[in-house]
Amino acid sequence: MGRAKKVVLAYSGGVDTSVCIPYLTHEWGVESVVALAVDLGQGAELDAIQAKGLTAGADQSLVKDATRELIEQYAFPAIQANALYENRYPLSTALARPLIAKMLVEVAEEVGADAVAHGCTGKGNDQVRFDVAIAALNPSLKVLAPAREWGMSREEAMAYGEKYGLTFPVKKSSPYSIDLNILGRSAEAGILEDPWAEPPEEVYALTKAVADTPDEPAYLEISFERGVPVALNGDRLGPVQLFEQLNAIAGEHGVGRIDMLENRLVGIKSREIYETPALLALITAHRDLESLTLTKDVTQYKVGVEQTYSQLVYNGLWFSPLREALDAFIVKTQERVTGVVRMRLHKGQAVCVGRKSDCSIYSESLATYSEGDVFDHRAAEGFIYVWGLPTRVWSRGQS
Ligand code: ARG
């Protein structure tokens, strides 16, 4: 008796998920493997991946495009939440996992599978995100993670695959572990495991080194409606086009490189290099527009919500009552986050240099130090008397 009869496998075409196919079949007695490759704008050769799934022994090899859904249903809420894990990582990998899990579950239900599978190892966050998301969506499905149990090195895994007719291109394989989708690229392992070592330029793929970026800055206007980016330089764009164009221009100016040590859910500290040109520029612009359109108390309260939100996305709780409740709060705050932010992209930085909105609650006549000031300076005196009263009483008590 095998562990499952029919399994839908999250398939990338890489070594690990390819080896999973014969492994599930021959070691775990799975009768039928359905490979599912999800297109998330990673620019992979999906036809080749589809064919490879069949060569590896899958009964069915499916490809589904979910790039737009990734942006609309996952990235846009995260932008509205200004979501940055540990204040830095815009969750480009973490946001994709619940979507892949959802698609695995949908296909499993369609084809009548009793299990789903993924190629994650036992050390990362991604296994947690998959397992928990799948459990949230269909707790009756088994989740198989061969690479968590097989205990093979990469070389051993390749040798195992070759036994079953898999071939791996001889190209010197990259020492890095890469995850890529339209939201960004994550790289770890190899020399990056030494936190003192500066990342070699070869680690990067979406962004230029500052030394190679144009000397002239680029100016860019990003329009938002209710906290969602809808146009670049006045051109209304669909979400995929918007991300593609912004990734290209921000990447050209070296924007969106992040070199950080982060705290994984599983307790390990790891060093990761991220490139998230569009996503980081959008969060920066979005937060700036909020500063023009949200009240002081909502702005400040929301910071705590944003931190909780980032942590729960990172920790695999996308499909959870807390995320839904926080999203309800966040969406409410976005009702007036409509307007335009002007950014300057230059030498690795995306800086907001202007913002405007019909919903602005900035008042120049209150703020001005020039003519036309309407602020009642005398009123400040009374305000400070009351505000400072406890301080004066306390101070007297000290002497
Ligand atoms: N550390 C990131 C996260 O937990 C990315 C994980 C995948 N990274 C990779 N290089 N394969 O979201």
Side-chain angles (χ1 to χ4, degrees):
M1 247 321 266
R3 298 200 189 192
K5 277 197 163 64
K6 187 164 187 169
V7 176
V8 181
L9 167 71
Y11 187 57
S12 71
V15 172
D16 285 334
T17 57
S18 294
V19 172
C20 279
I21 298 174
Y23 196 89
L24 286 165
T25 311
H26 300 289
E27 310 304 318
W28 288 2
V30 170
E31 288 165 22
S32 167
V33 178
V34 177
L36 171 64
V38 182
D39 186 356
L40 297 173
Q42 64 271 52
E45 300 283 334
L46 289 152
D47 291 346
I49 291 175
Q50 186 167 26
K52 211 166 163 188
L54 294 174
T55 312
D59 269 342
Q60 253 181 296
S61 191
L62 308 173
V63 172
K64 289 185 188 278
D65 182 2
T67 313
R68 187 186 174 106
E69 188 175 356
L70 176 64
I71 299 173
E72 281 183 338
Q73 304 299 321
Y74 297 81
F76 284 171
I79 291 166
Q80 293 179 314
N82 299 318
L84 295 173
Y85 180 65
E86 295 185 335
N87 284 322
R88 299 180 71 193
Y89 163 43
L91 298 162
S92 42
T93 291
L95 288 163
R97 297 304 181 240
L99 171 55
I100 298 171
K102 178 170 155 264
M103 298 180 75
L104 283 173
V105 170
E106 281 167 7
V107 172
E109 289 168 356
E110 269 165 41
V111 303
D114 56 333
V116 296
H118 58 72
C120 300
T121 66
K123 287 178 82 171
N125 298 310
D126 286 331
Q127 51 165 349
V128 181
R129 296 171 184 147
F130 278 124
D131 292 15
V132 174
I134 292 158
L137 296 171
N138 186 341
S140 69
L141 281 172
K142 281 176 248 173
V143 187
L144 308 182
R148 193 157 59 191
E149 296 183 36
W150 66 34
M152 294 188 281
S153 68
R154 200 173 172 80
E155 291 69 31
E156 288 164 347
M158 285 169 144
Y160 180 89
E162 279 159 7
K163 244 177 43 186
Y164 290 100
L166 284 176
T167 50
F168 303 101
V170 279
K171 77 166 176 9
K172 204 171 137 275
S173 70
S174 148
Y176 309 108
S177 160
I178 304 292
D179 179 65
L180 176 62
N181 64 54
I182 196 161
L183 306 182
R185 185 172 180 274
S186 310
E188 60 186 8
I191 183 70
L192 303 175
E193 286 172 2
D194 174 0
W196 180 249
E198 181 174 354
E201 201 46 43
E202 63 173 20
V203 169
Y204 298 101
L206 306 181
T207 54
K208 278 198 170 163
V210 166
D212 300 330
T213 59
D215 290 329
E216 286 301 307
Y219 285 85
L220 189 67
E221 291 186 4
I222 306 179
S223 307
F224 290 85
E225 283 174 13
R226 295 177 169 241
V228 170
V230 295
L232 295 181
N233 290 329
D235 292 335
R236 269 193 103 83
L237 297 171
V240 177
Q241 272 185 313
L242 187 136
F243 260 81
E244 283 172 352
Q245 292 188 16
L246 191 51
N247 270 332
I249 179 164
E252 173 73 16
H253 286 272
V255 168
R257 290 187 173 190
I258 301 157
D259 173 352
M260 74 184 278
L261 266 124
E262 71 194 36
N263 290 292
R264 286 190 193 161
L265 177 61
V266 296
I268 301 168
K269 276 191 192 292
S270 71
R271 201 271 193 98
E272 192 102 34
I273 303 298
Y274 298 107
E275 292 174 278
T276 57
L279 189 53
L280 203 61
L282 288 169
I283 291 173
T284 306
H286 173 262
R287 188 192 275 123
D288 195 87
L289 185 59
E290 285 191 336
S291 69
L292 186 69
T293 54
L294 297 186
T295 58
K296 172 179 171 178
D297 54 359
V298 171
T299 304
Q300 295 182 354
Y301 187 85
K302 188 167 176 280
V303 171
V305 173
E306 293 170 359
Q307 199 173 12
T308 305
Y309 193 92
S310 312
Q311 285 167 358
L312 79 82
V313 172
Y314 187 87
N315 292 337
L317 299 178
W318 179 269
F319 296 112
S320 69
L322 181 56
R323 202 270 303 165
E324 287 181 20
L326 296 184
D327 261 338
F329 168 82
I330 292 164
V331 165
K332 179 71 188 168
T333 65
Q334 300 300 294
E335 284 175 350
R336 298 187 191 200
V337 185
T338 296
V340 184
V341 176
R342 186 151 47 95
M343 292 194 106
R344 190 187 61 227
L345 309 176
H346 195 216
K347 296 290 172 200
Q349 306 282 338
V351 181
C352 302
V353 293
R355 63 290 289 166
K356 65 180 180 185
S357 167
D358 291 342
C359 304
S360 168
I361 48 175
Y362 171 83
S363 163
E364 195 165 350
S365 55
L366 281 175
T368 186
Y369 289 99
S370 314
E371 242 155 83
D373 182 6
V374 300
F375 185 76
D376 181 353
H377 291 238
R378 295 282 316 280
E381 231 178 275
F383 166 74
I384 296 164
Y385 171 80
V386 175
W387 176 247
L389 192 56
T391 305
R392 285 195 301 279
V393 171
W394 166 81
S395 177
R396 249 180 256 129
Q398 300 284 300
S399 54

